Amino acid sequence: MPGASRRQLSRRDALRYAGAATAAVGLGSAAAPQAGAATGFTVIDFAAKQIPAADIKAAGHAGVINYVSTSRPGSNFGAKPITRPYAQSLFDAGLVIVSNFQYGKPGGTAPSDFTRGYNGGVADAKTAWQLHTAAGGGQTAPIYFSVDDDIDRATWNNLALPWFQGINSVIGEMRTGVYGGYDVCQWAAESGVIGNSSVPGYKWAWQTRSWSGGRIHPAAVLYQRIIDTASSPGPLVGGIRVDVNDVMARDCGQWQLHP
């Protein structure tokens, strides 16, 4: 199992985590956090390019949810995957980092990841963990795996659940998180395939506003409140449009709290 024995931290890494831990309690050192639910902090997610840390901080966000996956065929997303130098620049600015895996997409050049079954989950978890650790990701930090579609319970039971079980077989449920609508977060929690935040009552559930019917799951640590679309563009940060997520629990899986 990846990470079964903890890696030896370099002196630089040890100092980095020690220095970041205090900031992580407040989810970064942004001077004026944007209004969000629960903690009052927000983190952004994006794919087009690596947004400079200074721009993220200036926009008032506490950090990023960044990809530990590569670009789909025919695409070239500059922020996929997160790199160690970029992660270090975020750390140095006092910003937090959360890992997310998404390779395929409905209607894209690669099918939705959750349709790949148990063996696909095994392969995706291995890829995600390799990219996460290569960038300096925390050994006990979760990785959120995306169900970026409006699925029903039968699809969850027959396709998505086996995929998550494959993921669990590689990194364990305590390092597995889910991205999806309200029902997907609920089914993942009920199925026992995602781990728990250190904040009581919260799980590694990153809920999107899409497909949620105005509901916010009480166990979600992250809530994607602003979604960048052609008809409803997200805010500009560093010259690109981003999605904005409310941080619902102080421990949302950020690397700094899970070295």
Side-chain angles (χ1 to χ4, degrees):
M1 176 187 291
S5 59
R6 293 174 66 85
R7 63 178 178 174
Q8 290 295 110
L9 289 178
S10 68
R11 183 174 182 272
R12 182 179 182 183
D13 283 340
L15 291 172
R16 180 189 72 180
Y17 279 117
T22 300
V25 172
L27 289 172
S29 55
Q34 294 189 358
T39 68
F41 291 94
T42 54
V43 293
I44 58 174
D45 66 277
F46 49 91
K49 71 172 187 177
Q50 294 177 341
I51 301 174
D55 291 334
I56 297 170
K57 198 167 183 178
H61 301 292
V64 306
I65 305 169
N66 220 151
Y67 289 99
V68 289
S69 51
T70 57
S71 297
R72 294 181 292 277
S75 62
N76 184 24
F77 295 113
K80 297 179 74 169
I82 188 171
T83 62
R84 184 174 284 265
Y86 182 57
Q88 187 65 54
S89 74
L90 297 172
F91 271 116
D92 291 345
L95 298 171
V96 302
I97 305 171
V98 177
S99 289
N100 169 238
F101 179 91
Q102 182 175 3
Y103 178 71
K105 186 176 183 178
T109 55
S112 295
D113 303 322
F114 70 85
T115 65
R116 292 169 18 85
Y118 184 93
N119 290 337
V122 170
D124 291 341
K126 289 179 178 179
T127 297
W129 192 252
Q130 189 276 322
L131 294 171
H132 171 88
T133 55
Q139 291 289 292
T140 62
I143 299 173
Y144 292 85
F145 290 82
S146 300
V147 180
D148 194 11
D149 205 350
D150 186 13
I151 66 172
D152 57 21
R153 187 59 187 261
T155 302
W156 169 264
N157 289 339
N158 297 325
L159 290 177
L161 179 56
W163 181 61
F164 274 98
Q165 290 168 335
I167 293 165
N168 288 171
S169 75
V170 178
I171 63 173
E173 67 276 3
M174 278 307 299
R175 288 183 294 187
T176 302
V178 65
Y179 166 88
Y182 183 100
D183 288 338
V184 164
C185 291
Q186 178 64 28
W187 298 331
E190 289 175 352
S191 301
V193 292
I194 57 174
N196 300 316
S197 168
S198 64
V199 180
Y202 288 88
K203 292 184 172 292
W204 301 139
W206 172 19
Q207 184 193 344
T208 176
R209 177 172 55 83
S210 300
W211 320 304
S212 292
R215 301 167 294 168
I216 300 178
H217 198 283
V221 291
L222 293 162
Y223 178 68
Q224 190 179 56
R225 175 170 48 88
I226 299 176
I227 304 167
D228 175 48
T229 64
S231 60
S232 182
L236 279 170
V237 179
I240 70 166
R241 300 289 179 182
V242 302
D243 302 328
V244 179
N245 305 271
D246 295 333
V247 178
M248 311 300 286
R250 293 278 176 180
D251 179 5
C252 60
Q254 61 266 47
W255 295 4
Q256 288 92 329
L257 290 184
H258 300 273

